[in-house]
Amino acid sequence: FTDFEPRGARKLLPCFDEPCIRSSFSVRLLIPSHLTAISNMSVKCIQSIENEKEVSFYQTPRMCSYLLCICIGHFSSIIGSTKSGTIVEFFASTGREKLLYKYLDIAIFTLNWLENKFGVKYELPRLQLLSTYGFPGGMENYGLITLNDFTYSQRHLFHTCLVMHEITHQWFGDLVSIKYWDSLWLNEGFAEFIQFLILNDYNKELDAFHLFAKNESVSCLQYYNEGLIVPEESKVNFVTLFHNLVYAKGAFVVKMFYDLVGEKSFCEICSNYLNEFKNRSVEVNDFISIANSTMKKDFYSFFNPWLRNVGFPVLIVNEIEENCKKVGITISQKCHNNCTFHISVPIKYEKDEKIYKKKVEINDKCIKIDLNFNWVIVNDDLSSLCFVIYSKSLLKSLQKANNENKIS
């Protein structure tokens, strides 16, 4: 099998191997007759030549060179279709394909979800997925997703998320591609977050947002003083290009934007973005521009600190007291590069033995919140990416509430 991202297509054929340049590919392979060949498009014809066969595929649409894929081996498949009639075919090593029916159902659910939520149809006649030994993870080749071997593993949730992630790329990365690798966040940040939106609807009993916080939040904490999601073009490093930063922190930025605008507006923005730029190449500012025009609001002040600066904010929470009663809090934000972040944080607090929740937008260095409370938690459930430091008094009240099993 081939795996060309980011600059591997040039090893197979002479080409302009940059994501900003789209080309159509007509693939024709001469292989031993007992093997199966798969590529981005469906087989057009097969011609037998003694102990070999020549397999020709339909021409691809214009796409990035790194998305070209060729796989040859002992493969067999199972087949289903989406509500809109797209054929979904899941390949595995011959004899093990029937172990993949649950993942075929997940792939079909994901295609249906993406078409329904964003109103943009999958443009190819067929989506193929190959789960094979020796492949390290997942790769979103247009029309032919390659995956590691699911048939020998019990990591069902991990593989479910991987299928959802790679299919999301068929829109975010393939249909709409990036001009250069400094905009990789538009591919990986969105696929990494949207997979949890799909998972949340696929399995209602699973708290996908809690899982997101558990998976992404902890790994993000290491990036307090290092790493840019969107580096300068001249500083793109292909050794560290696919570092976890662009996945975990990148997804967290998308999630915080989702929290700010809400699900309905987020899907509308993504729909407008995909429709405006489908079969074209984009850069980060193109998405922000679509967000601005859709919401009639300037989101550069939200995105730029998160994408183009190192780190994230530290929120310092202090109580406001009057007549020995807590009547509010102040939240100050600090970071090592002194920029101001825009975030939405949930606040959980207790008053008179009752628990209350509210959301607060923070877009200034310091804000004041009127609140009568016994104890308060800022950024409950790790909803936004930040550290929170409480005053000694507030910390003592939280310790007391924890000892009384009021919080966990």
Side-chain angles (χ1 to χ4, degrees), residues 30-299:
L30 184 64
I31 64 172
S33 57
H34 65 285
L35 297 179
T36 298
I38 321 169
S39 191
N40 303 75
M41 301 296 287
S42 300
V43 173
K44 184 177 182 180
C45 65
I46 299 176
Q47 182 179 355
S48 296
I49 307 172
E50 297 181 350
N51 294 326
E52 297 178 316
K53 58 184 177 183
E54 184 180 84
V55 185
S56 298
F57 299 88
Y58 286 98
Q59 188 179 56
T60 71
R62 293 172 62 248
M63 65 183 194
C64 301
S65 54
Y66 76 86
L67 297 173
L68 177 64
C69 186
I70 296 169
C71 301
I72 300 169
H74 295 280
F75 305 134
S76 297
S77 65
I78 52 176
I79 298 177
S81 63
T82 66
K83 292 177 181 178
S84 61
T86 300
I87 300 299
V88 181
E89 188 168 8
F90 220 126
F91 289 86
S93 297
T94 298
R96 304 197 64 80
E97 67 277 5
K98 292 183 180 179
L99 298 173
L100 295 175
Y101 272 108
K102 58 187 175 183
Y103 296 111
L104 176 64
D105 291 341
I106 290 165
I108 292 170
F109 178 91
T110 301
L111 270 174
N112 286 330
W113 190 97
L114 288 159
E115 289 188 337
N116 179 61
K117 284 292 184 180
F118 299 138
V120 180
K121 192 177 184 307
Y122 176 72
E123 291 203 337
L124 301 185
R126 181 183 297 255
L127 174 63
Q128 304 162 109
L129 304 97
L130 170 62
S131 175
T132 184
Y133 174 79
F135 196 82
M139 177 58 204
E140 66 269 19
N141 313 294
Y142 202 17
L144 175 52
I145 293 170
T146 45
L147 304 159
N148 55 22
D149 193 345
F150 293 177
T151 66
Y152 289 96
S153 172
Q154 300 300 314
R155 302 175 68 191
H156 176 64
L157 180 58
F158 173 80
H159 295 318
T160 296
C161 290
L162 185 59
V163 169
M164 293 173 175
H165 178 105
E166 301 304 337
I167 293 178
T168 300
H169 274 311
Q170 301 296 299
W171 281 262
F172 294 86
D174 296 2
L175 181 66
V176 178
S177 56
I178 55 175
K179 289 183 178 178
Y180 194 62
W181 298 104
D182 57 329
S183 296
L184 184 62
W185 169 73
L186 292 171
N187 296 359
E188 300 302 345
F190 279 78
E192 187 73 7
F193 173 66
I194 290 172
Q195 70 180 344
F196 287 95
L197 295 182
I198 302 169
L199 183 65
N200 198 53
D201 286 342
Y202 176 73
N203 187 344
K204 298 289 187 181
E205 296 179 359
L206 181 68
D207 187 345
F209 287 99
H210 176 76
L211 183 65
F212 175 87
K214 179 181 177 181
N215 285 4
E216 310 296 350
S217 297
V218 175
S219 64
C220 278
L221 298 181
Q222 64 185 300
Y223 303 122
Y224 174 66
N225 59 356
E226 64 176 84
L228 293 174
I229 296 175
V230 181
E232 295 177 21
E233 182 178 326
S234 61
K235 295 183 179 179
V236 170
N237 184 338
F238 286 95
V239 175
T240 60
L241 181 62
F242 291 92
H243 193 276
N244 188 52
L245 169 77
V246 76
Y247 292 84
K249 187 180 176 184
F252 226 120
V253 173
V254 180
K255 192 263 184 188
M256 291 186 290
F257 178 64
Y258 171 93
D259 288 341
L260 278 176
V261 301
E263 180 183 358
K264 182 179 178 181
S265 293
F266 177 79
C267 290
E268 182 183 1
I269 291 165
C270 289
S271 176
N272 291 343
Y273 166 73
L274 294 169
N275 276 303
E276 176 69 21
F277 295 109
K278 62 183 177 181
N279 299 310
R280 295 166 58 191
S281 298
V282 296
E283 55 191 10
V284 167
N285 284 348
D286 291 320
F287 177 83
I288 302 174
S289 178
I290 291 293
N292 292 348
S293 61
T294 302
M295 301 300 295
K296 296 178 172 55
K297 185 177 179 180
D298 185 0
F299 285 99

Side-chain angles (χ1 to χ4, degrees), residues 359-375:
K359 275 199 170 185
V360 175
E361 280 194 35
I362 302 173
N363 56 6
D364 208 342
K365 287 292 186 184
C366 184
I367 65 168
K368 176 183 175 182
I369 303 167
D370 295 326
L371 205 67
N372 293 311
F373 65 95
N374 298 322
W375 53 262

